[in-house]
Amino acid sequence: MLNRGNIRIAIAGVGNCASALIQGIHYYTPERCREGVVGLMHREIGGYLPCDIEVVAAFDVDARKVGTDVNRAIFAKPNCTKIFQSDIPDGGVIVRMGAVLDGISEHMANYADDRTFIRSDAPEPTKEEVVGELKRSGAEILLNYVPVGSEQAARFYAECALEAGVAFVNNMPVFIASDKSFADRFKARNLPIIGDDIKSQFGATITHRVLTDLFAKRGVKLLRTYQLNTGGNTDFLNMKNQQRLVSKKKSKTEAVQAVAHKRMEDDNIHVGPSDYVPWQNDNKICFIRMEGHLFGDIPMDLELRLSVEDSPNSAGVVIDMIRCCKLALQNGVGGVLEGPSAYFCKHPPAQYTDDDAYQMVEAFIRANTVKMTAVR
């Protein structure tokens, strides 16, 4: 194993997804990795294990998190994901006040305190202050975890990454990597970027894509399909505001359309979050229905129900995105990482089948690990 030291990350948005990620960093110890772990797509990438990731800066806007050690903040309300690694010592990194902008939907003020945000009264930072913190902390990669629909906030943190000279992982459905102007700027700064909108490890979108691709490969004409999702975390509560759903629905819909044999009419495909069910907490339930015609023009249909813990399901992918970004940084590879973006995200700049994207990721890891070995 080539271990090169820690990977230093900053996090914008210390919600459920950040909680699952940080728990995972501490759960996947070297001992567990040696024993043969469950739940990782890659035990190591370029010699890096999940536990080689270190959080060095964090930003949030909730009063229960701002001013708190990040390893305590991940367990504060309104976070509700399952706790699978509770034994986490303080990390010495205090959550700083982040930029609010459009990061909080107005309707969320109508819910009980343990279900919504309590805005901190700390002053919002300027871009220069966020950039300064990124530089001071020595962060190499900034993860964007701001809520769905936070267009201004997502672009704010992308701008901060560019100015601070750090890589950017865009987990949210605000189009940064797939916006050519942003992609070109990251390329010009020789900074890696992966995006947009994380595709969970075994979630609704990847399952829907695989089935859609299977229809095409098996010669079944897909006539119409839907994907309905319910959940009880603040992500689903946030998405009750339909105006914040535009990019999310587009991202999820295009991820399925991209692997169909023939693009479906808009009226024949519905993909997106459907409702907020408080008692589900971080559990997400997905219902998929697909109708088509097979041999002899005979009709068939498929119905599937998938239940997953939403945030750990994303953290398993982010662990790999971070390590791919680190390889790119070490090898001087800037701009959009095409293979990782296609495999790990719903709305990359260029769509590929998941089989092709998987091969691209493996080729990226092999090529950049070889370069590291040669340098050594």
Side-chain angles (χ1 to χ4, degrees):
M1 194 165 59
L2 297 173
N3 189 279
R4 299 279 177 154
N6 288 349
I7 307 172
R8 299 167 66 86
I9 67 168
I11 297 175
V14 188
N16 283 308
C17 291
S19 176
L21 172 65
I22 293 173
Q23 288 185 61
I25 290 169
H26 291 268
Y27 178 83
Y28 288 106
T29 61
E31 294 73 25
R32 279 201 172 106
C33 289
R34 281 196 298 268
E35 291 168 1
V37 294
V38 173
L40 293 176
M41 292 186 289
H42 295 89
R43 184 181 70 86
E44 64 162 287
I45 293 179
Y48 291 104
L49 301 176
C51 56
D52 292 320
I53 300 168
E54 176 186 6
V55 180
V56 297
F59 304 90
D60 202 274
V61 299
D62 193 293
R64 292 160 291 188
K65 298 172 184 176
V66 175
T68 302
D69 189 285
V70 68
N71 289 352
R72 302 275 69 77
I74 62 172
F75 299 120
K77 294 293 184 181
N79 291 4
C80 60
T81 191
K82 284 187 177 179
I83 298 174
F84 60 90
Q85 180 66 34
S86 59
D87 184 18
I88 303 177
D90 285 359
V93 174
I94 302 302
V95 178
R96 292 178 174 261
M97 181 63 181
V100 178
L101 300 170
D102 56 353
I104 301 176
S105 180
E106 293 179 1
H107 79 281
M108 294 183 71
N110 298 322
Y111 289 81
D113 285 351
D114 65 349
R115 288 286 172 184
T116 188
F117 293 106
I118 302 176
R119 178 174 170 170
S120 170
D121 58 6
E124 286 189 60
T126 64
K127 184 172 76 170
E128 290 71 25
E129 288 171 328
V130 172
V131 169
E133 175 63 9
L134 292 174
K135 290 181 176 179
R136 183 205 63 78
S137 67
E140 302 170 276
I141 304 164
L142 173 59
L143 309 187
N144 178 31
Y145 275 133
V146 298
V148 170
S150 305
E151 300 275 339
Q152 295 173 30
R155 289 186 169 85
F156 171 86
Y157 284 110
E159 294 284 356
C160 290
L162 280 164
E163 191 164 322
V166 302
F168 194 65
V169 173
N170 185 31
N171 297 303
M172 309 311 296
V174 173
F175 304 142
I176 306 293
S178 51
D179 179 330
K180 189 175 184 304
S181 62
F182 262 115
D184 288 347
R185 291 170 66 197
F186 275 91
K187 180 69 173 177
R189 290 294 312 275
N190 203 34
L191 295 171
I193 177 171
I194 299 178
D196 299 306
D197 195 9
I198 189 168
K199 190 191 300 173
S200 293
Q201 186 172 13
F202 204 110
T205 298
I206 185 65
T207 302
H208 206 166
R209 277 173 59 94
V210 168
L211 289 171
T212 302
D213 186 46
L214 184 63
F215 269 58
K217 288 177 176 175
R218 304 298 290 185
V220 181
K221 183 178 181 181
L222 181 58
L223 298 175
R224 58 188 68 89
T225 185
Y226 67 61
Q227 179 196 128
L228 309 176
N229 300 285
T230 65
N233 56 28
T234 48
D235 190 33
F236 276 88
L237 176 55
N238 169 63
M239 291 187 292
K240 283 181 70 69
N241 181 343
Q242 293 294 309
Q243 292 181 341
R244 300 178 72 87
L245 270 179
V246 175
S247 61
K248 183 68 173 179
K249 287 180 68 66
K250 180 178 179 180
S251 176
K252 288 175 72 69
T253 301
E254 289 304 313
V256 176
Q257 288 274 33
V259 293
H261 176 67
K262 183 179 179 181
R263 187 177 181 87
M264 286 172 278
E265 296 292 333
D266 291 345
D267 288 346
N268 291 330
I269 179 170
H270 176 88
V271 181
S274 304
D275 212 345
Y276 168 67
V277 182
W279 57 261
Q280 281 186 232
N281 289 319
D282 197 40
N283 178 249
K284 175 179 176 179
I285 297 178
C286 161
F287 301 91
I288 295 175
R289 179 176 175 85
M290 305 175 75
E291 299 179 2
H293 283 181
L294 38 72
F295 189 78
D297 216 20
I298 302 300
M300 58 81 66
D301 62 73
L302 175 152
E303 292 195 355
L304 177 146
R305 178 186 182 274
L306 174 67
S307 175
V308 293
E309 194 73 3
D310 202 20
S311 300
N313 202 16
S314 75
V317 178
V318 175
I319 286 280
D320 282 11
M321 296 164 84
I322 291 168
R323 293 183 289 175
C324 284
C325 262
K326 177 66 172 182
L327 289 190
L329 284 168
Q330 289 186 320
N331 289 290
V333 179
V336 176
L337 304 186
E338 188 177 21
S341 293
Y343 190 58
F344 298 136
C345 299
K346 299 184 186 79
H347 196 274
Q351 290 277 9
Y352 296 86
T353 67
D354 291 290
D355 287 342
D356 288 343
Y358 171 77
Q359 295 300 330
M360 293 168 69
V361 167
E362 295 305 303
F364 171 87
I365 293 171
R366 284 194 304 271
N368 287 284
T369 301
V370 166
K371 287 181 184 178
M372 287 170 57
T373 307
V375 169
R376 188 177 189 187

